[in-house]
Amino acid sequence: MEEKKLLKGNEAIAEAAIRGGCRAFFGYPITPQNEIPEYMSFRMPEVGGVFIQSESEVSAINMVYGAGGAGARAMTSSSSPGISLKQEGISYIAGAEIPCVIVNMVRSGPGLGGIQPAQCDYFQSVKGGGHGDYKMLVYGPNSVQECVDIMYTAFDKAFEYRMPIMILGDGMLGQIMEAVTLPPMKDFSNVPNAEWATDGTRYGADRRVVNSLYIQPDDLEAMNHKLFAKYDVLAEKECRYEEYLCDDADVIITAYGTVARIAKSAVDMLRASGVKAGLLRPITLFPFPCDRFARLAAMPNVKKFVSVELSMGQMVEDVRLSVNGMKPVEFYGRCGGNVMTSEDIAEYITKEGK
Amino acid sequence: MAIVFEKPKMLTDKPTHYCPGCTHGLAHILTAKAIDKLNAKKVIGVAPVGCAVFAYEYFNCDMQEAAHGRAPAVATGIKRVIPDAIVFAYQGDGDLASIGMAEIVHAAARGENITVIFVNNAIYGMTGGQMAPTTMIGQKATTCQSGRDVALNGYPIHVSEMLSQLQGPCYIERVACYDVKHIKQAQKAIDKAFQNQVEGRGFSMIEILATCPTNWGMSPQDSLKYVEDVMCKVYPLGVYKDTTKEEA
Amino acid sequence: MAKVSFNKAFCKSCGLCIGVCPKHIISISESEINSKGYFVAEVLEMDKCIGCAFCATMCPDCVIEVEK
């Protein structure tokens, strides 16, 4: 049954994961995502699921590997330095084609950095992150409700494509409280285990192996091509974005996650002062909405793009690749845990526009 | 005539890639025989990184190949979601006692109901004979060519002794495979380690002192002698922890 | 009456079986080579075999099956 509740982003994600069928959670404490493991620690036993506070992020992601490889809907959550530690495991998970969900409530870096919101993990999320040629389906939700909606279907996507999925939030999104509609509990009790899962019931010729080792170059090359063929399907079927007032815009602001909400207010301010601004908000960061950027870039009214981020400029590189020199692409960002205001963005656009 | 010795069912027909005389093969056979005896409906093994990296090709059950050192974490993930399966991790000394030290200690401390087969040959075999966490003082390796020097490299780690200090583990025994008598003792230990899991008693680990003729630079026969004369002195055989006895 | 049979394709010529045979009847062939290039272990005087299975127990490669 649907339910309306006032929830913190982190708690909402945890509850949506459970309603989406997650029955195994492995995590290690790190600010600002601690509400997720805390919530899972009492909620999982209520639904007959598994919760372990592991000894490290490294261990947590490898528990996800084991449980996911055995066919369970398994997930972990962390924040930036912890995600760096998980990257080894994520690479193995991608290579072994294990479905799972990883939530990253990004904090500022590099190094120990700070605990305030940031978007400086864009690169390590959408470009692969760990060793080897692989990608993940990466979502950048901008509200607690969107966190819930994406988390609720994330496992279905993970199993459909047999790949890890990352939900890329930030400290703000994890900590903010908003009213959300929680979807009903999905029931997987009668769903047979996946046809590749090592559930231990097979011997001899039928036995299953979860593995990412391909010692023959031709085999590994074929595996890489298989993975990338899936990414082509993602680009075709799973790419999502939201547009606001782009049709007649002179300036296209682009931002994802909570920053997109700030940018949307900036668009309204700019419009009120006579500047024709629009907003293109990627919802999937991989696959990136390259085609939509290219089409907007080809429109004569569009003069330039401005990528607004809580980083030193990461997504802007994908915007530049998509726009491919057709129009100028600028960057405006804050970092270190600082967050720009709508006025900051509007001021940047008005000043730079002159 | 009846067959008195045959290949265990839990091993595939694939010839192993191990060097001539390497006792990894024996550790595989003993593990497979122990599982054969259980008649279990569900068995899942976890292979390590190291010489036994292809163990998933040799054990005749569902297998997962873990990242270096992470087998206990992977096995934990599997066991928790399929608690009625027999789950075992097979690890070497570099995998378990160096890069994977945190994973093995915490799996043991949690009393995770899994069985770990720990093959200790005191050297990194797969990568060509580098110093291992269990390389003995004075023992030569390609990264300590004059022999392990305490001043430079510190001391070898006695894993069974160390883990037995934890409250979590149920059963920890060190065995060796240098002759038929000790192979039979090793079989008993491994049988018990799996039986403990069936009975839900928690974490069991069997450390097997093994040979590496290639990287020790010895014949297979001399390697067995080295285990008996040298390794067993540094790493004494025996039961280090057995909570089943405490209960009795 | 006992018999050992060798799955010669699996033999790696390590000789561990030779060391444990109480009857000293196992040797490495001087003529027979398997597909991996190893001279294989063999028993020339099978009538002396007592079926103790020490050789099979010691073999790391599951080469030997014993009947008794």
Side-chain angles (χ1 to χ4, degrees), chain A residues 122 126-127 138 234-235 238-241 254 256 280-293 307 314-323:
Chain A
Y122 180 88
V126 307
K127 302 295 182 190
V138 183
L234 285 187
E238 302 298 338
C239 188
R240 286 174 59 193
Y241 56 88
T254 180
Y256 69 95
L280 177 57
R281 173 174 81 93
I283 299 172
T284 52
L285 300 170
F286 184 86
F288 194 70
C290 313
D291 293 349
R292 188 56 196 154
F293 274 99
S307 185
Q314 299 197 7
M315 184 176 76
V316 65
E317 292 192 4
D318 281 338
V319 178
R320 287 201 178 107
L321 285 170
S322 307
V323 169

Side-chain angles (χ1 to χ4, degrees), chain A residues 44-216:
Chain A
M44 271 300 178
E46 289 177 0
V47 295
V50 171
F51 169 85
I52 296 182
Q53 179 175 324
S54 61
E55 60 270 25
S56 67
E57 285 91 348
V58 174
S59 193
I61 193 69
N62 283 285
M63 289 175 183
V64 169
Y65 180 101
R73 293 187 160 222
M75 71 177 284
T76 184
S77 66
S78 192
S79 181
S80 310
I83 295 293
S84 299
L85 284 169
K86 287 185 198 291
Q87 289 291 8
E88 177 205 40
I90 297 173
S91 170
Y92 279 71
I93 283 171
E97 300 188 275
I98 297 172
C100 70
V101 179
I102 302 138
V103 175
N104 182 3
M105 288 300 176
V106 182
R107 59 189 254 183
S108 48
L112 201 46
I115 58 167
Q116 306 296 332
Q119 295 182 315
C120 49
D121 282 6
Y122 180 88
F123 284 153
Q124 77 156 335
S125 305
V126 307
K127 302 295 182 190
H131 59 285
D133 279 320
Y134 75 92
K135 307 277 188 183
M136 288 180 277
L137 177 50
V138 183
Y139 291 99
N142 74 339
S143 68
V144 177
Q145 184 66 57
E146 198 168 71
C147 283
V148 166
D149 297 343
I150 286 170
M151 184 70 243
Y152 189 60
T153 56
F155 277 107
D156 303 328
K157 302 284 182 201
F159 273 75
E160 182 181 346
Y161 294 105
R162 276 187 73 180
M163 65 165 69
I165 289 187
M166 181 170 279
I167 297 180
L168 191 65
D170 60 57
M172 267 185 290
L173 201 56
Q175 298 300 323
I176 199 170
M177 285 190 91
E178 290 185 313
V180 288
T181 304
L182 291 168
M185 188 77 79
K186 286 182 190 170
D187 181 10
F188 291 96
S189 52
N190 292 320
V191 177
N193 208 342
E195 71 284 355
W196 44 261
T198 58
D199 54 16
T201 56
R202 286 161 195 83
Y203 301 91
D206 295 334
R207 71 197 189 89
R208 294 166 176 176
V209 176
V210 166
N211 178 34
S212 63
L213 177 63
Y214 296 87
I215 211 78
Q216 297 299 334

Side-chain angles (χ1 to χ4, degrees), chain B residues 2 4-5 13 16 18 21 25 221, chain C residues 10 12 14 60-61 65-66 68:
Chain B
V4 290
F5 192 103
D13 290 330
T16 70
Y18 299 114
Q221 279 293 352
Chain C
F10 279 46
K12 292 172 184 164
C14 73
D61 293 287
E65 192 171 281
V66 185
K68 195 179 178 180

Side-chain angles (χ1 to χ4, degrees), chain A residues 15 18 23 39-49 185:
Chain A
E15 180 59 31
I18 283 178
R23 288 297 178 271
Y39 190 92
M40 287 299 196
S41 72
F42 69 83
R43 190 71 174 105
M44 271 300 178
E46 289 177 0
V47 295
M185 188 77 79

Side-chain angles (χ1 to χ4, degrees), chain B:
Chain B
M1 285 204 298
I3 292 173
V4 290
F5 192 103
E6 63 181 334
K7 190 183 177 77
K9 292 182 185 63
M10 197 38 77
L11 286 184
T12 63
D13 290 330
K14 197 177 171 77
T16 70
H17 70 287
Y18 299 114
C19 301
C22 168
T23 44
H24 258 299
L26 283 171
H28 280 31
I29 294 165
L30 298 177
T31 304
K33 284 195 163 182
I35 300 170
D36 277 357
K37 288 173 195 164
L38 301 176
N39 285 319
K41 288 201 171 68
K42 295 182 188 175
V43 183
I44 306 156
V46 182
V49 170
C51 279
V53 70
F54 295 115
Y56 60 81
E57 296 195 354
Y58 308 140
F59 287 107
N60 209 3
C61 54
D62 280 359
M63 293 289 294
Q64 290 197 15
E65 165 57 37
H68 199 19
R70 318 300 175 214
V74 172
T76 296
I78 299 169
K79 185 69 182 183
R80 291 292 181 109
V81 299
I82 312 183
D84 60 339
I86 296 299
V87 179
F88 70 98
Y90 185 104
Q91 300 185 264
D93 44 74
D95 195 77
L96 181 142
S98 196
I99 195 167
M101 185 57 101
E103 283 76 10
I104 193 67
V105 168
H106 284 269
R110 284 192 301 269
E112 210 63 59
N113 192 27
I114 58 173
T115 304
V116 177
I117 305 299
F118 169 37
V119 177
N120 176 6
N121 59 10
I123 206 143
Y124 280 82
M126 184 59 113
T127 45
Q130 294 81 13
M131 184 184 67
T134 49
T135 294
M136 296 167 287
I137 297 164
Q139 186 188 343
K140 288 179 181 169
T142 59
T143 48
C144 55
Q145 300 195 1
S146 308
R148 184 176 190 140
D149 176 355
V150 169
L152 283 174
N153 312 116
Y155 294 90
I157 294 171
H158 292 65
V159 175
S160 290
E161 287 85 338
M162 188 182 69
L163 292 184
S164 66
Q165 298 304 307
L166 297 169
Q167 282 178 284
C170 162
Y171 182 59
I172 292 172
E173 181 169 352
R174 182 183 288 128
V175 298
C177 287
Y178 60 80
D179 62 19
V180 170
K181 179 183 152 200
H182 284 86
I183 289 171
K184 292 193 167 160
Q185 282 175 0
Q187 183 72 69
K188 273 187 194 154
I190 294 172
D191 288 353
K192 182 163 175 155
F194 277 97
Q195 191 57 38
N196 286 340
Q197 188 181 157
V198 172
E199 291 165 14
R201 292 176 182 274
F203 185 89
S204 296
M205 186 193 80
I206 304 302
E207 175 177 351
I208 304 172
L209 299 184
T211 62
C212 183
T214 300
N215 290 298
W216 290 358
M218 295 177 196
S219 73
Q221 279 293 352
D222 290 347
S223 298
L224 294 182
K225 194 91 182 98
Y226 185 76
V227 172
E228 182 179 3
D229 295 345
V230 179
M231 274 190 95
C232 285
K233 300 237 163 32
V234 177
Y235 298 109
L237 305 184
V239 177
Y240 284 86
K241 185 153 199 231
D242 186 357
T243 59
T244 64
K245 283 217 171 119
E246 289 160 25
E247 282 167 24

